[in-house]
């Protein structure tokens, strides 16, 4: 029964977000999007515990992290596109956040980029003026490229408290999919700003008896609500006092 409730949360979120989305006709004009001609597609699995460890349901209770490394083996600079596709409940109606707009990355010859869980969370803030704060999420990072790539997913897991207990590395096979993709148009608001929606909703049974944490800072610059300040998250390996850049933090009372 608990698993069914967990699987139903995303469907409920999609219905809620449908009420919050700002119609494009009412928003400020957006900049024209760029297109990239692609030949190859890679779908890398992602499982991310962001503001709270996963609870029993879709995955066993614990903390899961994903990093997807993308290497350009060619001798030319290339532009690739990536989006996030959420794993929604089977048979549910499509929602506004099931699949994010594409983002572009430029990779130098023999260069590489990495996409971690907090980068993945940033794909959802903002979309049509709405930001989704995920406690945890599952789905795929879908990468489109004009040339073959080396795409590898690195997966770690641990108990809710403690050091890493398992690690797995998975090479992602390409699919030959010829497509011209459009890079998402720039939002009218600043990155990291917009109406906030929690998934799962705060107070739901997904959190058990724990109060969900609220992420702040990071590359998107998530703000804290009034009366709280952003401090470094000691549970991650990014320390701004030791040269860490764009570290995410936690909101605490001032």
């Amino acid at each position: 029964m608990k698993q069914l409730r967990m699987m139903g949360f995303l469907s409920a979120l999609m219905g809620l977000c449908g009420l919050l989305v700002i119609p494009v006709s009412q928003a400020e004009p957006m900049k024209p999007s760029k297109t990239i001609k692609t030949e190859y597609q890679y779908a890398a699995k992602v499982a991310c515990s962001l503001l709270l460890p996963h609870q029993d349901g879709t995955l066993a209770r614990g903390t899961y992290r994903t990093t997807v490394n993308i290497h350009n083996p060619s001798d030319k600079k290339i532009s690739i596109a990536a989006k996030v596709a959420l794993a929604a409940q089977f048979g549910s109606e499509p929602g506004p956040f099931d699949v994010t707009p594409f983002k572009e990355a430029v990779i130098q010859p023999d260069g590489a980029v990495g996409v971690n869980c907090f980068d993945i969370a940033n794909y959802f803030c903002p979309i049509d003026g709405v930001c989704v704060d995920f406690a945890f999420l599952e789905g795929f990072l879908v990468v489109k490229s004009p040339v073959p790539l080396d795409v590898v997913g690195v997966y770690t897991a641990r108990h809710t408290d403690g050091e890493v207990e398992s690690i797995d590395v998975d090479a992602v096979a390409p699919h030959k999919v010829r497509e011209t993709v459009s890079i998402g148009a720039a939002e009218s608001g600043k990155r990291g700003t917009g109406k906030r929606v929690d998934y799962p909703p705060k107070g739901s049974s997904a959190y058990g008896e724990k109060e969900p944490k609220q992420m702040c800072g990071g590359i998107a610059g998530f703000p804290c609500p009034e009366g709280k300040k952003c401090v470094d998250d000691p549970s991650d390996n990014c320390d701004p006092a030791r040269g860490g850049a764009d570290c995410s933090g936690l909101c605490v009372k001032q």
Side-chain angles (χ1 to χ4, degrees):
M1 181 63 71
K2 184 182 291 185
Q3 183 171 2
L4 292 176
R5 289 199 301 268
M6 287 288 295
M7 294 297 290
F9 283 139
L10 190 54
S11 297
L13 171 72
M14 299 314 168
L16 173 62
C17 292
L19 299 176
L20 294 176
V21 171
I22 301 173
V24 174
S25 60
Q26 298 179 12
E28 297 179 15
M30 294 184 179
K31 298 178 182 179
S33 60
K34 176 182 178 180
T35 59
I36 299 176
K37 292 183 178 180
T38 66
E39 300 276 345
Y40 299 88
Q41 175 177 297
Y42 301 80
K45 175 64 181 177
V46 296
C48 294
S49 306
L50 294 165
L51 308 184
L52 197 74
H54 275 69
Q55 306 300 301
D56 284 331
T58 55
L59 290 175
R61 187 171 185 269
T63 298
Y64 299 83
R65 290 289 167 82
T66 299
T67 297
V68 179
N69 292 324
I70 305 168
H71 172 243
N72 171 22
S74 75
D75 58 359
K76 296 180 180 180
K77 181 172 69 174
I78 62 170
S79 291
I80 65 171
K83 64 182 178 181
V84 178
L86 286 179
Q89 182 180 7
F90 184 81
S92 63
E93 291 294 324
F97 299 113
D98 281 355
V99 181
T100 72
F102 278 104
K103 290 186 178 184
E104 179 189 14
V106 177
I107 310 181
Q108 299 296 326
D110 204 29
V113 296
V115 183
N116 61 38
C117 282
F118 298 104
D119 299 323
I120 292 166
N122 288 338
Y123 274 80
F124 297 89
C125 188
I127 297 178
D128 291 334
V130 176
C131 291
V132 184
D133 292 329
F134 286 94
F136 34 81
L137 64 83
E138 288 183 74
F140 291 89
L141 179 72
V142 181
V143 180
K144 301 269 193 176
S145 171
V147 301
L149 301 171
D150 301 317
V151 179
V152 176
V154 182
Y155 307 95
T156 56
R158 61 176 172 83
H159 284 94
T160 53
D161 296 306
E163 302 295 329
V164 63
E165 296 177 57
S166 69
I167 183 170
D168 187 31
V169 178
D170 180 41
V172 182
H175 295 279
K176 188 76 172 178
V177 180
R178 181 174 297 174
E179 182 181 5
T180 299
V181 300
S182 297
I183 303 302
E187 293 275 357
S188 57
K190 293 182 179 180
R191 184 173 58 178
T193 62
K195 293 184 178 180
R196 316 296 297 204
V197 177
D198 296 307
Y199 169 71
K202 290 180 179 178
S204 72
S205 60
Y207 296 105
E209 298 178 353
K210 290 192 174 184
E211 178 69 20
K213 301 176 183 178
Q214 182 168 1
M215 184 178 69
C216 58
I219 193 170
F222 292 118
C224 288
E226 186 175 353
K228 291 189 176 183
K229 63 179 180 179
C230 188
V231 300
D232 181 52
D233 182 358
S235 66
D236 62 25
N237 58 2
C238 186
D239 187 352
R242 298 184 178 181
D246 297 321
C247 297
S248 62
L250 298 174
C251 293
V252 299
K253 292 182 179 180
Q254 291 183 342

